[in-house]
Amino acid sequence: MNSYKIDEAQVNSSKFKTMPRLFKYLLKYKKRILLVFLLMGIGTAVDLINPLLIKSSIDNYISIKDIQGLIKLTIIGLVINIVAVIAIKLRMYLMAKTSNKVIQELRQQLYDHIQTLDLAFFDSRPSGKILARLIGDTNSLKDIIENAVTTLIPNLVSVIAVMIIMFIMNWKLALAALCSLPFLIAGVFLISIKAEKHWKAKRQKSSNMNAFINEDLSGIKIIQSFRAEDETDKTFQSLVWDDRKEFIKAVRWCDAFGSWIDLCWSVGTMCLYLVGIWILGIDTVSIGTYIAFGSYVGMFWQPIMNLSNFYNQFINAASGAERIFEIIDNKASIVSKPDAPLMPAINGKVDFKKVTFGYTGETKILKKVDFSVKEGETIALVGPTGAGKSTIVNLISRFYDVDDGSILIDGQDIRDVELESLRTQMGIMTQDNYIFSGTIRENIMYGKLDATEEEMLKAAKAVHADDFIRLLEKGYDTKLTARGGELSNGQRQLVAFARTMLSNPRILILDEATSSIDTKTELQVQAGIANLLKGRTSFVIAHRLSTIQNADRIFVIDKGGIVESGSPAELMKKKGEYYKLRQAQFA
């Protein structure tokens, strides 16, 4: 699934379950919503009264030429309509403010939840698809939240009230005007099924496009290096075309709502006058009643039209809401047990007890791995690519849980302690440590947000990052863009080293961490690490075997386990797997 080429599985949750869940976010603003309802009631009442004022003016004043009474009635109508306009404007303002607040809270909740999900979740989908849900899908909900109160409820009230008034005025004319209503309901039901299908597909295609854009921009250097712009352009065009096709299909079905309503509206209006003139007779119904009825027919079908437009938004928003709640309901598999105790201060003893693990259920990377590491030992992990070196350190940090067996730190199973208290005592440095946009100082302080300036400088000096930072024009206040494009690979690595040093980890993990540093700088950094982390347990993954000659022990990882272990000197004497690796590298 971790590809822009593959559609995400459609979420099959019922929209009539999803949307009430969304609207629950409005309950926090009950007082404001009640005020909106009051304002809405004023506007709806005035709309319903207007046809009655017209009927009264014709039958009671114009017919008998009562000009004075007509003027009074006109003034009353003008005043209540001005009040209605003010109420509508205020209602729209309050709902716009509320809907924006709800979207902000929903997006924050989604972001906070994504932060808690384990690496398996991110392994399974491109970041662009996650971004699509965090931004695009949440944005699609704004109008539906606002219109649920400002469109759905007042139009429903209008439809019901108009029906009641029409039946009170003349039930025969009312039946004639509403004779096409059953056909309307049947048509809307059938059209909605098709429209919903294509809106969901459209969300998938948009997600694929976002994933590709994110992947493309992240790898733009490689694309330009290999002159692959034309190929990526073709891929982008294809994704845009797929998105466009689904959008057009969805819109066509949504447009069918309006056409079907117009047809039913026309049939109802013709039946009204057919029954009124041919069956009841023109003399039995007053002119004012006919005019009022004509107004009420429009007041009945116009809200139906508005509701159809709302339903189009509803279907689109439901697709987005389903995708959002699908992530929110996706619970992290790597979590602390209920009431799990905090991890005490780590001394550094690490034990693997018959550990078996695989990223998929079928293929096992590690098979019944056993080893024990003493406090303060430096363990080097070497072996062919894909043997499981990074897997071992990921399991120690509990980014994944073992399939079988257990991992103990200071005799404590890491699954039985509070997760955050475990990870805060570990420092992890990789080959591609991320540099955030901001100053160099801010990037280093990320390792310990409450660190003092003295502590920050001490960490930077320990890994010799201070040497090059002070040569920069603004020193530690030098601003960096995301990924630190202003610095060399080695300089970025030194900043990341300083960040990890500042966190003062009890267990240190170096995953190819010195690969981007030249030999001279590497010697300085190794000296700094040795001074600062003396007595701390560390795991070092390295393909450059020259960097691990001071390791206490070396584990050669291959074929799902440790095929060889010992000090560098011992392994060289054995002339086994490590000896072969070293000879091959230095041949």
Side-chain angles (χ1 to χ4, degrees):
M1 184 177 166
N2 193 356
S3 172
Y4 65 84
K5 299 177 182 178
I6 302 174
D7 289 343
E8 298 169 279
Q10 285 195 2
V11 184
N12 292 320
S13 173
S14 170
K15 57 181 174 290
F16 295 107
K17 292 181 180 179
T18 302
M19 299 312 288
R21 181 178 176 182
L22 175 64
F23 294 142
K24 283 182 181 178
Y25 286 83
L26 290 170
L27 295 178
K28 185 177 178 180
Y29 306 95
K30 288 182 286 189
K31 292 182 179 179
R32 191 181 295 175
I33 297 300
L34 288 174
L35 177 57
V36 169
F37 282 154
L38 176 62
L39 296 171
M40 183 177 60
I42 294 172
T44 303
V46 171
D47 286 342
L48 295 172
I49 290 172
N50 281 333
L52 296 178
L53 292 177
I54 295 172
K55 177 181 182 299
S56 179
S57 65
I58 294 172
D59 291 345
N60 299 330
Y61 299 103
I62 295 177
S63 60
I64 60 174
K65 299 181 180 180
D66 185 354
I67 303 302
Q68 188 175 3
L70 182 61
I71 292 174
K72 291 181 180 178
L73 191 63
T74 301
I75 293 173
I76 292 172
L78 182 62
V79 170
I80 63 174
N81 276 277
I82 291 173
V83 172
V85 169
I86 295 173
I88 291 170
K89 293 295 183 182
L90 183 58
R91 180 193 74 188
M92 293 173 64
Y93 167 76
L94 290 174
M95 275 313 302
K97 186 176 180 180
T98 303
S99 62
N100 277 302
K101 189 67 176 175
V102 169
I103 291 300
Q104 177 186 343
E105 292 177 1
L106 182 61
R107 181 176 284 128
Q108 186 67 54
Q109 180 188 355
L110 179 60
Y111 177 79
D112 290 344
H113 181 70
I114 289 173
Q115 297 267 58
T116 69
L117 297 176
D118 47 78
L119 291 185
F121 171 83
F122 298 97
D123 290 341
S124 67
R125 64 196 75 200
S127 57
K129 292 191 177 184
I130 300 173
L131 192 64
R133 301 198 183 196
L134 191 59
I135 297 178
D137 289 341
T138 50
N139 282 341
S140 71
L141 303 181
K142 179 183 177 297
D143 289 340
I144 197 68
I145 293 174
E146 185 175 338
N147 292 338
V149 176
T150 60
T151 298
L152 175 64
I153 296 176
N155 280 286
L156 281 176
V157 171
S158 293
V159 167
I160 294 170
V162 166
M163 288 178 65
I164 293 172
I165 293 172
M166 289 170 70
F167 274 97
I168 291 174
M169 290 179 64
N170 191 310
W171 66 270
K172 293 179 181 179
L173 289 178
L175 284 177
L178 304 179
C179 66
S180 58
L181 193 57
F183 299 99
L184 171 72
I185 296 172
V188 167
F189 175 76
L190 294 174
I191 293 170
S192 67
I193 294 175
K194 288 288 188 179
E196 181 177 7
K197 173 187 173 183
H198 290 295
W199 277 124
K200 286 186 175 182
K202 199 271 179 193
R203 287 279 170 202
Q204 288 180 325
K205 301 305 180 184
S206 294
S207 183
N208 291 345
M209 184 172 62
N210 282 326
F212 173 78
I213 293 171
N214 182 269
E215 183 177 311
D216 183 72
L217 296 180
S218 298
I220 191 65
K221 186 176 181 180
I222 302 300
I223 292 170
Q224 292 181 347
S225 297
F226 289 95
R227 300 305 308 272
E229 293 92 341
D230 290 342
E231 187 63 30
T232 55
D233 184 62
K234 290 177 183 177
T235 303
F236 181 70
Q237 287 181 19
S238 175
L239 292 170
V240 171
W241 180 253
D242 288 342
D243 179 67
R244 177 179 177 273
K245 282 194 298 185
E246 290 300 334
F247 176 75
I248 289 174
K249 289 177 182 178
V251 169
R252 281 175 178 169
W253 280 105
C254 287
D255 286 345
F257 278 113
S259 301
W260 186 247
I261 292 171
D262 282 338
L263 178 61
C264 294
W265 186 343
S266 300
V267 171
T269 303
M270 286 189 292
C271 289
L272 167 66
Y273 292 112
L274 181 67
V275 170
I277 296 173
W278 284 9
I279 299 176
L280 297 181
I282 190 68
D283 295 333
T284 61
V285 181
S286 69
I287 295 175
T289 300
Y290 269 119
I291 294 176
F293 241 94
S295 298
Y296 280 124
V297 168
M299 290 181 63
F300 176 82
W301 287 105
Q302 187 58 53
I304 295 289
M305 183 70 77
N306 295 339
L307 289 173
S308 75
N309 294 331
F310 172 82
Y311 191 68
N312 290 336
Q313 291 181 337
F314 178 80
I315 294 172
N316 186 17
S319 301
E322 287 168 359
R323 287 157 54 84
I324 290 170
F325 290 128
E326 186 263 337
I327 287 187
I328 291 177
D329 293 337
N330 192 325
K331 303 303 180 185
S333 57
I334 310 297
V335 294
S336 304
K337 291 182 178 179
D339 302 320
L342 297 176
M343 183 72 186
I346 292 176
N347 295 317
K349 187 176 185 296
V350 179
D351 295 291
F352 270 49
K353 302 289 187 181
K354 297 187 181 303
V355 169
T356 297
F357 174 78
Y359 293 100
T360 63
E362 302 173 357
T363 305
K364 300 300 179 185
I365 306 297
L366 302 178
K367 303 171 185 176
K368 297 186 180 299
V369 174
D370 270 302
F371 66 78
S372 182
V373 176
K374 300 175 185 177
E375 299 174 16
E377 263 195 300
T378 296
I379 304 298
L381 305 176
V382 301
T385 301
K389 303 183 294 297
S390 294
T391 299
I392 288 175
V393 296
N394 282 335
L395 291 174
I396 294 173
S397 304
R398 208 187 165 203
F399 287 125
Y400 302 90
D401 271 339
V402 299
D403 296 334
D404 196 17
S406 60
I407 299 174
L408 310 179
I409 295 181
D410 296 340
Q412 180 77 52
D413 192 318
I414 61 175
R415 291 171 295 187
D416 295 334
V417 298
E418 201 271 328
L419 185 60
E420 185 177 353
S421 67
L422 171 70
R423 289 182 181 165
T424 53
Q425 300 189 66
M426 294 186 175
I428 302 173
M429 290 182 283
T430 65
Q431 182 177 358
D432 185 26
N433 276 289
Y434 195 87
I435 299 297
F436 297 92
S437 58
T439 64
I440 291 179
R441 175 183 280 100
E442 290 169 341
N443 268 277
I444 296 176
M445 295 286 282
Y446 206 81
K448 184 183 177 184
L449 298 176
D450 59 348
T452 64
E453 182 79 4
E454 183 181 353
E455 290 174 324
M456 187 272 296
L457 290 174
K458 182 180 178 181
K461 290 176 180 178
V463 297
H464 298 275
D466 182 77
D467 296 345
F468 87 85
I469 293 174
R470 291 194 179 277
L471 296 177
L472 300 174
E473 184 179 351
K474 294 186 179 179
Y476 286 87
D477 293 317
T478 301
K479 290 188 178 294
L480 305 175
T481 56
R483 300 187 181 275
E486 298 83 354
L487 304 179
S488 68
N489 287 339
Q491 289 172 334
R492 287 197 295 269
Q493 206 74 354
L494 288 172
V495 171
F497 262 66
R499 180 168 62 200
T500 304
M501 293 304 101
L502 184 60
S503 68
N504 193 25
R506 307 299 300 176
I507 293 178
L508 178 63
I509 295 169
L510 307 178
D511 189 350
E512 287 291 332
T514 59
S515 61
S516 298
I517 301 175
D518 60 78
T519 305
K520 180 181 177 181
T521 306
E522 182 183 327
L523 293 173
Q524 294 175 326
V525 173
Q526 291 288 1
I529 292 173
N531 291 332
L532 190 60
L533 297 184
K534 191 174 182 180
R536 288 172 171 79
T537 305
S538 59
F539 292 84
V540 181
I541 298 174
H543 287 105
R544 283 162 58 178
L545 301 182
S546 61
T547 64
I548 57 172
Q549 293 311 297
N550 294 326
D552 295 308
R553 281 189 290 164
I554 295 174
F555 292 168
V556 181
I557 313 297
D558 197 10
K559 299 176 182 178
I562 300 173
V563 297
E564 197 173 65
S565 68
S567 68
E570 291 171 346
L571 295 182
M572 287 300 290
K573 287 180 181 180
K574 284 183 180 180
K575 293 190 176 182
E577 295 300 319
Y578 176 75
Y579 178 83
K580 294 177 184 177
L581 287 172
R582 188 172 175 84
Q583 289 299 105
Q585 189 167 116
F586 290 97

